[in-house]
Amino acid sequence: MITRRLFLGAASLAALSGCTTISSRETSNAEPIKPRARVMPAAYGPVLDEPFPIEAVPAGVVPERFWRQRVDNPFRNEKPGTLIVDPGTFYLHLVEEGGTAMRYGIGVGRQGFSWSGDAVVQYKRKWPRWKAPDDMVARNPSLIPYSVANGGMDPGPLNPLGARALYLFQNGEDTLYRIHGNPEANSIGKAVSSGCIRLLNQDIIDLHGRVKNRAKVVVVPAGMPATVA
């Protein structure tokens, strides 16, 4: 596990200079210099000011292309504040003013591939309760304690919705589509067996703070991959 000290003290990847000329005699016995391994940015360190502590994201688990970053907006026809979920690329974009977008890496469950179209963020929750849908309970009776009738699962680090959740509605009806947090860093950038759209808990906290209620959401159609993580 990466400690806070390592997060604060680790250097970024070293760039090797090609400007210095060294004679072959001096380098004949030299060990090749290897660049230092990248560490996760400080934004993915431990979060200790939440009702439940969130562990740091380990280095080497989430590919760098799925780290949260501001990019040129690839969806110029959408207004600022719009969320674009693209399960096929494992990216979620939040369109910003000025031609940029905040991009997040996501993991996508079977439910995340099963629905597409336009929706709105009807409401959002911090440390939400998870209520297993009736059809899921019918397939897996062990989930009965977490059913809608029984009030669902208490918030916490093991709750499938993580630290935050956005609830998507279409024409006033619940789509049962959720954008939510999760503690499983190795699911980011992958198709997984269950759930909707997963973000790292650090990322869903950031997204939750930026998205407004009633924000437009566009979910791009994508087929379920043949294999899942």
Side-chain angles (χ1 to χ4, degrees):
M1 180 179 295
I2 299 174
T3 65
R4 178 180 293 272
R5 182 177 180 182
L6 179 58
F7 263 100
L8 296 176
S12 59
L13 181 65
L16 304 181
S17 172
C19 300
T20 304
T21 301
I22 305 176
S23 71
S24 59
R25 183 175 63 84
E26 291 176 288
T27 60
S28 59
N29 296 319
E31 289 286 335
I33 300 174
K34 298 180 180 180
R36 297 179 183 177
R38 294 296 300 267
V39 298
M40 297 296 290
Y44 291 116
V47 182
L48 305 177
D49 58 352
E50 288 281 324
F52 306 95
I54 297 171
E55 295 185 354
V57 179
V61 176
V62 181
E64 185 174 349
R65 66 183 180 277
F66 295 121
W67 296 357
R68 181 200 324 162
Q69 57 183 299
R70 181 167 281 110
V71 298
D72 289 336
N73 176 25
F75 304 99
R76 297 302 178 107
N77 58 328
E78 298 293 346
K79 295 180 179 180
T82 302
L83 280 174
I84 314 290
V85 181
D86 188 350
T89 63
F90 300 99
Y91 285 132
L92 182 154
H93 289 80
L94 173 61
V95 178
E96 299 178 320
E97 299 277 1
T100 62
M102 188 64 72
R103 189 180 74 188
Y104 305 83
I106 59 176
V108 186
R110 292 186 186 278
Q111 295 91 329
F113 285 104
S114 66
W115 186 89
S116 61
D118 293 358
V120 298
V121 177
Q122 188 75 5
Y123 54 91
K124 51 186 185 175
R125 294 287 185 266
K126 297 181 178 180
W127 293 102
R129 298 185 68 83
W130 176 68
K131 298 178 181 179
D134 291 343
D135 60 342
M136 185 181 293
V137 173
R139 295 193 304 270
N140 187 353
S142 67
L143 296 177
I144 289 175
Y146 311 122
S147 67
V148 175
N150 287 322
M153 180 185 290
D154 290 338
L158 300 181
N159 187 296
L161 294 181
R164 304 284 191 275
L166 310 180
Y167 296 76
L168 275 56
F169 279 54
Q170 185 182 54
N171 300 322
E173 299 289 335
D174 190 353
T175 64
L176 301 180
Y177 202 95
R178 309 288 186 252
I179 300 171
H180 60 89
N182 91 104
E184 298 175 348
N186 61 354
S187 69
I188 301 302
K190 297 178 182 177
V192 293
S193 60
S194 62
C196 286
I197 300 300
R198 305 178 177 193
L199 283 75
L200 296 167
N201 274 323
Q202 286 87 342
D203 280 347
I204 193 63
I205 290 172
D206 181 84
L207 179 64
H208 178 276
R210 297 176 187 271
V211 172
K212 298 183 182 300
N213 284 327
R214 308 297 298 175
K216 179 182 177 182
V217 182
V218 179
V219 180
V220 179
M224 183 70 189
T227 59
V228 298

